[in-house]
Amino acid sequence: MTEEKKDGAGAEERHSLFGGLVDKFVSAIAHKDVHGQEEEVAAQTAAPQGVQGATADGAEVAAGADDGDDEVEELPGDIHPLDEEATPAAAPDGERRLINLALQGGGSHGAFTWGVLDALLEDGRLEFEGISGTSAGAMNAVVMAHAFAKAGEDGQEGQYARDAVRAALRRFWESVGMMGSLATGVPVPGMQSLVHMATQWLAPTQINPLGVNPLLRLLKSEVDFERLTRQSKIKVFVNATNVRTGRGEVFSGRHLTADAVMASACLPMLYQAVQINGEYYWDGGYSGNPVIYPLIYHTKSVDVLLVQINPIEIPQAPGMTAAEINERINDITFNTPLLAEFRAMDFITRLLDEGRLDVTRYKRMFVHRIDGGEVLQQYNVTSKARADSHFVHTLFENGRKAGEQWLAEHFDDVGKRSTIDLLGGRRHSTHI
């Protein structure tokens, strides 16, 4: 072997070794199970953000997709091939562009997300390939995808279909606004405060022994889950937290049921854990709010638009009250998994920029954000269970304004660049 060939072989070996180390790094950051889409296969996989199909021991993943994609074949090093079509894509209709949505949970604050979606749908220049949602974000996701499916069955296309989706989201959230409280579904003044006090001392099995959840009936009245699982226009991913393992599990395709959505929205101090196939689940926000990686693996678009309703940063406020401390703990808890995914994606992007990763095996993502944190910061954590019409519509209007502003400022960036710093300018925050 010549010296030149030896050098080439050595470089290739180092590149392969480095790629393996990258896979282990991102695998350590995120490790979740995926249930869905067309066929379940037992595989060694985690869900490292920013990597197309990197795997690690101990999770289950379902290969394939609702639209009939071929089962993914594993390659040496547990790396799945990057889809050749995974490129910034514009919809055929001239100015329209393809994008994925990532919708955070936050109880009735999800009405802010409703407003954002209403603005995007009315504008009509974005096509949606995949939606990942947690808790209230999961409800927005399934209502939206189901409405698109029904519109298609009814022969509606273009703006007619988008208007039908807008109407469905409005029906759902206006029904929420008639409930008074997400915890009880009883529009009685003071009921929300009474329930909040009770949860400090009593478990859901004591407060609500029958396990009644007013949102379940509302969800089933708006979404036909058989139709939802048949549709292939939009891939939907819903995250819930397995109580036994503490890990996030993603439900998609034929596994996407009303129970899966309710599990994603199951705050353990308000509702009894939701049982699915012998396992119990709590709110998905504890493990991914929302999860980004399914949008990386199972869609072709490289753009993700995050609608964030839990603030990452707040103004420093010494001398916080007990309620304010509890509220900030809630924000941090529900944002931590998302920040871990951002760190992994930022790491991969920097390695791609430096030419240290094979671009045919790793996928560059463009990330965008509509941030409702500042607007919603004025409301305390108990307001997430508030469900009166005035409150819901106030959040909706704020969301619409935020959606319109983002379109005006960043629509032209879709398919070209990220519009947020994934680490918020705090890449080097280690103090030694």
Side-chain angles (χ1 to χ4, degrees):
M1 181 181 291
T2 65
E3 289 298 321
E4 184 178 341
K5 287 183 178 179
K6 284 182 180 178
D7 290 343
E12 184 176 344
E13 183 178 352
R14 288 192 299 273
H15 188 279
S16 176
L17 176 61
F18 184 73
L21 292 173
V22 170
D23 301 338
K24 290 183 184 297
F25 170 80
V26 290
S27 296
I29 290 179
H31 191 86
K32 302 180 178 74
D33 291 342
V34 182
H35 303 281
Q37 304 189 353
E38 189 174 62
E39 294 180 20
E40 277 195 325
V41 294
Q44 294 181 324
T45 183
Q49 293 79 329
V51 182
Q52 179 71 15
T55 63
D57 292 344
E60 295 178 355
V61 69
D66 290 330
D67 58 358
D69 288 344
D70 293 334
E71 183 173 316
V72 178
E73 178 185 359
E74 287 193 298
L75 297 178
D78 291 334
I79 301 297
H80 294 169
L82 183 65
D83 192 325
E84 291 181 357
E85 297 182 51
T87 55
D93 242 356
E95 205 177 15
R96 293 220 299 272
R97 299 183 186 181
L98 195 63
I99 200 168
N100 293 314
L101 296 174
L103 310 180
Q104 272 202 332
S108 59
H109 290 188
F112 175 90
T113 303
W114 164 37
V116 170
L117 297 176
D118 192 76
L120 301 182
L121 289 162
E122 183 181 52
D123 180 81
R125 288 179 293 168
L126 293 175
E127 293 286 343
F128 309 103
E129 184 182 5
I131 310 177
S132 177
T134 293
S135 194
M139 295 190 182
N140 275 317
V142 297
V143 170
M144 181 173 172
H146 175 267
F148 266 119
K150 187 175 187 303
E153 291 180 4
D154 293 342
Q156 295 174 310
E157 298 178 351
Q159 196 58 47
Y160 292 105
R162 290 189 285 274
D163 286 344
V165 177
R166 294 175 66 201
L169 287 164
R170 177 172 290 276
R171 279 195 308 273
F172 178 80
W173 281 102
E174 288 188 341
S175 296
V176 169
M178 296 174 64
M179 294 171 61
S181 167
L182 295 183
T184 63
V186 179
V188 175
M191 181 62 72
Q192 180 181 323
S193 298
L194 182 62
V195 171
H196 179 68
M197 289 175 59
T199 59
Q200 308 302 308
W201 309 101
L202 300 173
T205 52
Q206 297 170 297
I207 300 172
N208 183 9
L210 297 179
V212 176
N213 191 324
L215 281 172
L216 179 59
R217 182 171 58 182
L218 173 57
L219 186 66
K220 286 184 173 180
S221 71
E222 187 59 49
V223 178
D224 177 349
F225 279 86
E226 289 187 5
R227 175 185 287 124
L228 180 64
T229 56
R230 288 196 309 267
Q231 68 87 31
S232 59
K233 178 177 176 60
I234 297 177
K235 299 181 178 71
V236 182
F237 307 95
V238 168
N239 186 58
T241 305
N242 186 306
V243 179
R244 179 179 61 84
T245 66
R247 292 170 57 189
E249 297 184 19
V250 175
F251 296 87
S252 186
R254 62 188 175 87
H255 297 275
L256 184 54
T257 63
D259 282 343
V261 177
M262 299 313 298
S264 181
C266 180
L267 287 170
M269 297 308 295
L270 286 179
Y271 307 115
Q272 294 184 34
V274 177
Q275 185 178 19
I276 302 174
N277 296 330
E279 297 281 355
Y280 289 90
Y281 295 88
W282 282 340
D283 196 292
Y286 296 113
S287 54
N289 191 24
V291 288
I292 307 296
Y293 70 86
L295 301 174
I296 299 172
Y297 295 157
H298 297 293
T299 71
K300 297 174 183 177
S301 172
V302 295
D303 286 270
V304 176
L305 172 58
L306 168 67
V307 182
Q308 187 161 15
I309 55 181
N310 294 293
I312 291 179
E313 296 187 3
I314 64 170
Q316 282 199 334
M320 284 182 170
T321 65
E324 289 169 338
I325 291 171
N326 183 59
E327 187 171 337
R328 188 55 183 153
I329 290 172
N330 181 75
D331 290 337
I332 293 170
T333 300
F334 283 103
N335 277 327
T336 297
L338 177 67
L339 292 176
E341 290 204 72
F342 277 0
R343 182 168 292 279
M345 293 171 68
D346 177 78
F347 179 60
I348 295 299
T349 300
R350 284 187 288 126
L351 293 179
L352 286 169
D353 288 343
E354 294 167 7
R356 300 171 69 184
L357 291 180
D358 184 348
V359 295
T360 66
R361 298 172 71 186
Y362 295 87
K363 185 176 179 181
R364 180 188 300 275
M365 299 298 296
F366 299 137
V367 184
H368 317 273
R369 177 171 61 198
I370 296 176
D371 190 356
E374 185 175 347
V375 170
L376 298 171
Q377 191 180 327
Q378 61 185 295
Y379 304 108
N380 62 32
V381 68
T382 60
S383 69
K384 292 182 178 182
R386 181 179 168 185
D388 60 87
S389 183
H390 175 74
F391 183 61
V392 166
H393 278 93
T394 298
L395 298 183
F396 166 78
E397 292 299 336
N398 286 328
R400 267 194 64 89
K401 291 176 184 175
E404 291 168 351
Q405 181 178 349
W406 182 85
L407 285 165
E409 294 177 358
H410 295 301
F411 173 80
D412 290 336
D413 294 314
V414 176
K416 299 176 182 176
R417 62 184 68 86
S418 289
T419 53
I420 64 168
D421 180 349
L422 291 175
L423 300 185
R426 304 192 184 280
R427 181 168 292 114
H428 304 294
S429 56
T430 302
H431 303 285
I432 300 175

